Amino acid sequence: MTPLLVAIACLLAVTFGYGLLCAASPFGDCRHCRGMGHALKHDRRGRLKRGKDCRRCHATGKRIRTGRWLYNRWARIYRAGTDTPRPEGTR
């Protein structure tokens, strides 16, 4: 196989793999708090304490994956464009 075909095959495999991941598990760990839902702070003695809630994930620790967000946006636009009733007398 030529290097171009190998690159295309790898790109398709990665794309379909990510699509399956988004379909099977639409939510992933928040990248800001690493899935904890809050920040970690140190007190004066150096011990770890719970910090403020994460503003990105609203303290859930989960965020929607980029691929799933794009799919949801596409589906919403598609439904809005095709579900509108047509006026009488038009095709």
Side-chain angles (χ1 to χ4, degrees):
M1 292 178 77
T2 64
L4 181 63
L5 289 177
V6 172
I8 291 172
C10 289
L11 186 63
L12 284 174
V14 168
T15 302
F16 287 129
Y18 184 68
L20 289 174
L21 176 68
C22 289
S25 176
F27 294 98
D29 287 341
C30 177
R31 293 182 304 270
H32 186 70
C33 65
R34 298 186 188 105
M36 292 186 65
H38 56 84
L40 292 177
K41 289 176 44 176
H42 297 279
D43 62 1
R44 291 183 181 194
R45 293 183 171 215
R47 292 179 295 191
L48 287 175
K49 288 178 52 177
R50 179 187 166 99
K52 292 183 179 180
D53 289 343
C54 179
R55 294 189 318 172
R56 288 189 182 179
C57 64
H58 304 288
T60 60
K62 297 291 181 184
R63 290 189 69 193
I64 194 159
R65 294 185 195 275
T66 306
R68 185 60 182 216
W69 182 85
L70 288 171
Y71 172 76
N72 289 347
R73 177 65 55 104
W74 173 82
R76 188 178 306 123
I77 291 170
Y78 181 78
R79 272 183 261 135
T82 57
D83 290 343
T84 57
R86 294 185 180 179
E88 289 293 324
T90 60
R91 294 182 105 196

